[in-house]
Amino acid sequence: MCGLVYFSGCVDHAAEGEEEEEQARLDSLAQAETEGEIFDAYIADAENGINADDVVIQDNGVRRVVWDPSTSVRVPEFNEIVSVHYVGKFTTNQIFDTTNPAVAKKSDSLNYVANGISFDDLLAKSDKTYEELLDSLNTSDGAISDPVFTLNRLYVPMAFNHQEDGTGISFSFITGFRSGLRNLMLEMELNSKGLIMIPSAVGYGTVGSSIDAEGNQGIPPNTPLIFEFELVNIRP
């Protein structure tokens, strides 16, 4: 019961908590519906080269599709080590991360060209290598927004133990990445490509991610993501 000393009335904290939980649930459902529409539009865009009939929607909302699915050439067996290159993109196809150096360099150099900088002219006048010039531009005051290529990064395929339950994939990755990649590995063959679409609920959620110690924003909150994969190696 309410105390006799305080006459301003009692606050039902339990009821407030229930209301907040219900609102959070409704917000989550609305966000999921919005992101579903975004993914539908991405699939329908002919430039993305996706056959809607080939897309599988998982229970957690992750969508996946494989080009050249496994037939008989060389498919990974359980407990083998597989290596994949990946490209992480927003649904606008802007790249934010990749293990493939060629993709990183091409993405940044094209962005400089789009910003009116003649990369080839600068390269011809410079004593730097292509990579050194790109890295110097990326660290200059005139850098493009969110450059992808970094000279001191070791660009190598992501290698992991192919387990049936997906536990060979590091838990440092977001849930949607792990579950989507695990299922792709059951369908891909050597040199085939696949793509997953990750809802924010199994991505970086309502908080997003930071990219450095200062907390600068990496992935914004409530952001659906696209990851493309290529299976480049299989070894016992």
Side-chain angles (χ1 to χ4, degrees), residues 109-173:
S109 59
L110 287 177
N111 281 324
Y112 280 116
V113 172
N115 284 359
I117 296 177
S118 177
F119 191 84
D120 288 340
D121 287 349
L122 289 178
L123 187 61
K125 298 174 184 177
S126 174
D127 59 356
K128 295 182 172 67
T129 65
Y130 182 101
E131 291 79 10
E132 289 171 340
L133 176 60
L134 187 58
D135 188 65
S136 67
L137 286 174
N138 285 349
T139 54
S140 72
D141 291 339
I144 55 175
S145 299
D146 303 318
V148 180
F149 179 75
T150 303
L151 189 62
N152 61 7
R153 174 175 173 176
L154 182 61
Y155 289 89
V156 293
M158 170 190 168
F160 59 94
N161 190 312
H162 175 47
Q163 299 282 348
E164 185 174 9
D165 59 3
T167 53
I169 303 171
S170 172
F171 280 85
S172 64
F173 292 103

Side-chain angles (χ1 to χ4, degrees), residues 56-73:
V56 177
I57 303 178
Q58 302 177 180
D59 290 342
N60 61 1
V62 172
R63 304 182 187 207
R64 70 178 189 271
V65 61
V66 174
W67 289 274
D68 302 323
S70 59
T71 52
S72 62
V73 178

Side-chain angles (χ1 to χ4, degrees), residues 14-28:
E16 284 186 350
E18 290 176 357
E19 289 178 3
E20 290 176 357
E21 288 181 4
E22 177 61 13
Q23 187 59 53
R25 186 185 72 84
L26 293 175
D27 290 345
S28 178

Side-chain angles (χ1 to χ4, degrees), residues 5-16:
V5 177
Y6 300 100
F7 298 101
S8 58
C10 298
V11 177
D12 189 342
H13 293 290
E16 284 186 350

Side-chain angles (χ1 to χ4, degrees), residues 158-236:
M158 170 190 168
F160 59 94
N161 190 312
H162 175 47
Q163 299 282 348
E164 185 174 9
D165 59 3
T167 53
I169 303 171
S170 172
F171 280 85
S172 64
F173 292 103
I174 53 178
T175 301
F177 183 99
R178 296 199 316 272
S179 68
L181 180 55
R182 175 259 180 190
N183 287 318
L184 283 182
M185 285 299 100
L186 302 176
E187 302 168 356
M188 296 177 71
E189 66 182 16
L190 186 61
N191 298 322
S192 66
K193 296 181 180 181
L195 177 147
I196 60 175
M197 306 174 193
I198 305 176
S200 61
V202 286
Y204 290 97
T206 59
V207 177
S209 72
S210 59
I211 57 174
D212 56 30
E214 285 71 40
N216 292 321
Q217 187 69 62
I219 306 298
N222 295 319
T223 301
L225 302 173
I226 306 288
F227 277 89
E228 297 177 354
F229 296 92
E230 181 177 5
L231 179 55
V232 296
N233 196 20
I234 305 171
R235 63 184 187 275

